[in-house]
Amino acid sequence: MRKQQSLLRKYMMIIAGALLLVPVTLVPISMSGRISDHPDPYYSSQELITMWHTEATDMHVDNPRQIEGSLHRLKSMYQEAHLFWVNGNGELKLTLPERTDIPNKWSVGYTIEFMKKSYDSDPLTIVAYVGGAAENGFVVLQMPRMYTELPNKKAGENYEYYIIIGSIVVFVSFLLVSWLFFQRIRKRLVRLQGAMELPHDCSIPAPIVISKLDEIGALEESFNKMILTLEESKQNEQEEEQVRRKLIADLSHDLRTPLTAIRAQLYVLKNEVSSVKGMQTIELVDEKIHYLGELLENLLAYTLLTSKKYPYEPTEVDMVKVTRKIIAGWYNKLESEYFDIDVDVSVQEFRWNIDVNWYERMLDNVIQNVIRHGASGEFIGFYIRHDGDEQVITIVDKGPGFEQVTSHKGSGIGLSIIALMAKEMGVTWEIHSTSEGTTFVFKK
């Protein structure tokens, strides 16, 4: 994975860009505030005051034309200003430009009141005596204060506003870029999550296309490697399973033939043995051969079931009738094993969509299990009852239960066959085992 593709590196670049954006944004905004809100030119108020007093001192009271010429000249220099001249008798002699709000006659009181009102107000008002003497009259210059304030001062009034606007711009830009950054990461993670979710008909997810060479890309690459490993493992497992099933099937077929021959020879041997102990030995051997035959039969059936090769033909079946037939087939065997048999299947007819042979095999395995493990209880019960809308088939014994170790305890392959068949036919089955007995329950 190349470093420039790292997600951490990219996000650090976003943060660095946001930090650099602060001065880049705020400086132009503040500069624009300095020059756009205020007109040119700008005048220094102190320079205006000094200039006006100098000009007034140079005016000659006995030369009105010289005073008027000076005022016109100054008006052309300061076009934004208003100028007027009042002589020593309080008479208004000249206004530049013409104004109607200035009285033609000025008294001492009015003059004092005018100066008080003009102090520190807008416009800036500068009063200077002609020739430097109060008895000669005075000249007035009025300049709007907006022309006397320097750019830095003017910009300072709106500086806080510009800072807030610039900060908001930077912050919103950073949030937007960050949101886009993490939104893309989220989409890629959601896509990876979707690839990990398996469909119902699939046991291994499909590989995913690697989008970018970053941390998530490395995760996607590891995910694809894991899928490849799983596919190879599954293929090896299937090959091993096929070999195992073939071996079990071949062994089952090969062993059944000699077992049949041994049982035939054992039958002949019965006629040759006369002692009680010899007959007991022959019966014990015959029982073990029968048990071994059942194991081989179950092993072959289990192999065929797991490989989906066991014949399955479901039909609508009268469960009461079929169950009675199966019980009748086992009646003599159970009596010979000294079982007390209790049968209650007198409910009305009901039908299940199942394979009759599979159902018979399930009940055969249950009864064989009772004979093998629950013979000490000398009881077996067959019951069919209605539990609400469900029909329940129950087989009960009074043996020591599965927790007890017996000489006939096997690998449980018979119960595994029941589980596989019940699942395939949609039949729910349960086992409840205690030291006082075992109950097998079938529902659909």
Side-chain angles (χ1 to χ4, degrees):
M1 181 178 59
R2 291 175 292 182
K3 289 185 177 180
Q4 59 267 29
Q5 295 292 336
S6 170
L7 292 174
L8 177 60
R9 186 183 183 92
K10 289 181 179 179
Y11 194 65
M12 292 302 296
M13 291 177 62
I14 292 175
I15 295 177
L19 294 177
L20 291 175
L21 191 62
V22 173
V24 172
T25 303
L26 295 184
V27 170
I29 290 179
S30 60
M31 291 299 296
S32 65
R34 294 167 186 258
I35 63 177
S36 62
D37 292 343
H38 313 288
D40 281 331
Y42 296 97
Y43 306 106
S44 169
S45 57
Q46 187 60 43
E47 290 179 358
L48 284 174
I49 293 172
T50 302
M51 178 276 299
W52 191 248
H53 281 281
T54 301
E55 291 288 342
T57 302
D58 293 338
M59 294 178 184
H60 302 285
V61 65
D62 56 352
N63 189 356
R65 288 184 177 275
Q66 186 259 342
I67 296 176
E68 292 179 0
S70 297
L71 292 178
H72 280 284
R73 175 175 54 82
L74 292 173
K75 174 59 179 175
S76 65
M77 293 175 59
Y78 302 95
Q79 297 180 5
E80 298 83 4
H82 293 267
L83 293 78
F84 61 91
W85 167 34
V86 178
N87 64 13
N89 298 322
E91 297 174 349
L92 179 65
K93 304 299 292 183
L94 178 66
T95 60
L96 297 175
E98 291 292 335
R99 294 173 59 179
T100 59
D101 59 332
I102 300 177
N104 292 323
K105 189 66 177 177
W106 288 60
S107 64
V108 175
Y110 182 81
T111 302
I112 295 173
E113 184 68 23
F114 171 77
M115 290 182 178
K116 287 175 60 178
K117 289 182 179 180
S118 300
Y119 179 75
D120 202 21
S121 63
D122 193 8
L124 172 66
T125 302
I126 306 172
V127 180
Y129 296 119
V130 176
E135 63 273 11
N136 296 334
F138 56 88
V139 288
V140 178
L141 180 146
Q142 290 184 317
M143 176 74 74
R145 287 189 179 272
M146 63 183 298
Y147 294 102
T148 65
E149 296 176 350
L150 295 176
N152 288 341
K153 180 181 179 182
K154 210 59 175 170
E157 297 177 357
N158 298 320
Y159 185 72
E160 183 177 353
Y161 171 77
Y162 295 130
I163 287 293
I164 293 175
I165 295 297
S167 300
I168 291 175
V169 170
V170 173
F171 183 69
V172 172
S173 300
F174 175 72
L175 286 182
L176 179 61
V177 174
S178 298
W179 180 82
L180 292 174
F181 178 78
F182 287 108
Q183 182 69 8
R184 291 178 180 177
I185 293 177
R186 179 183 176 277
K187 286 182 179 179
R188 294 171 64 192
L189 291 176
V190 169
R191 184 170 68 97
L192 183 59
Q193 179 188 6
M196 292 180 180
E197 295 178 355
L198 297 177
H200 294 294
D201 56 346
C202 184
S203 59
I204 298 178
I208 189 172
V209 178
I210 299 176
S211 54
K212 295 181 180 179
L213 297 177
D214 51 21
E215 288 83 352
I216 299 179
L219 180 62
E220 293 170 342
E221 184 178 1
S222 299
F223 176 72
N224 289 343
K225 290 180 179 179
M226 180 192 68
I227 292 175
L228 182 60
T229 302
L230 289 175
E231 288 176 345
E232 293 176 353
S233 176
K234 183 179 180 181
Q235 184 177 358
N236 294 335
E237 182 182 352
Q238 289 175 346
E239 292 175 355
E240 293 174 0
E241 183 69 14
Q242 289 176 358
V243 173
R244 183 182 64 82
R245 289 172 179 172
K246 186 176 184 302
L247 178 62
I248 292 175
D250 293 342
L251 286 175
S252 299
H253 285 294
D254 292 343
L255 290 175
R256 288 171 70 183
T257 300
L259 282 178
T260 302
I262 292 173
R263 295 194 72 176
Q265 295 299 322
L266 197 63
Y267 180 77
V268 175
L269 188 60
K270 285 182 180 180
N271 298 327
E272 302 295 332
V273 176
S274 58
S275 65
V276 175
K277 185 175 181 180
M279 290 300 296
Q280 290 177 346
T281 301
I282 290 174
E283 289 178 358
L284 180 60
V285 172
D286 184 59
E287 181 183 350
K288 294 299 182 181
I289 292 174
H290 179 73
Y291 176 62
L292 183 58
E294 290 180 355
L295 287 179
L296 289 174
E297 185 68 25
N298 284 336
L299 187 60
L300 179 60
Y302 181 79
T303 303
L304 293 174
L305 281 170
T306 54
S307 61
K308 305 295 183 180
K309 294 181 180 180
Y310 203 92
Y312 179 55
E313 299 176 355
T315 57
E316 289 288 336
V317 178
D318 181 356
M319 296 304 297
V320 176
K321 182 178 179 180
V322 172
T323 304
R324 284 176 176 172
K325 181 180 178 181
I326 295 172
I327 296 172
W330 281 93
Y331 212 89
N332 292 333
K333 175 65 176 176
L334 291 171
E335 282 188 334
S336 66
E337 297 289 341
Y338 306 105
F339 274 88
D340 182 13
I341 306 169
D342 183 22
V343 180
D344 184 4
V345 293
S346 58
V347 298
Q348 295 180 353
E349 172 187 325
F350 66 91
R351 293 181 173 275
W352 285 359
N353 185 28
I354 61 172
D355 187 306
V356 177
N357 294 327
W358 284 34
Y359 177 68
E360 184 176 354
R361 182 61 181 267
M362 290 167 60
L363 261 60
D364 287 348
N365 282 4
V366 172
I367 295 172
Q368 288 173 2
N369 189 84
V370 172
I371 293 174
R372 191 172 299 118
H373 301 289
S376 61
E378 298 183 348
F379 174 85
I380 185 170
F382 301 92
Y383 309 104
I384 298 180
R385 296 188 175 91
H386 287 284
D387 184 8
D389 295 334
E390 290 183 327
Q391 296 81 29
V392 182
I393 301 173
T394 308
I395 302 176
V396 180
D397 69 47
K398 294 183 179 180
F402 287 166
E403 300 300 326
Q404 300 294 325
V405 179
T406 66
S407 59
H408 297 289
K409 189 172 182 65
S411 61
I413 192 170
L415 297 180
S416 299
I417 291 173
I418 295 174
L420 289 172
M421 289 184 168
K423 181 179 179 181
E424 187 69 24
M425 294 190 296
V427 175
T428 303
W429 81 294
E430 301 171 355
I431 299 178
H432 305 284
S433 182
T434 66
S435 59
E436 297 178 356
T438 303
T439 302
F440 299 84
V441 181
F442 297 90
K443 301 177 183 179
K444 186 174 176 66

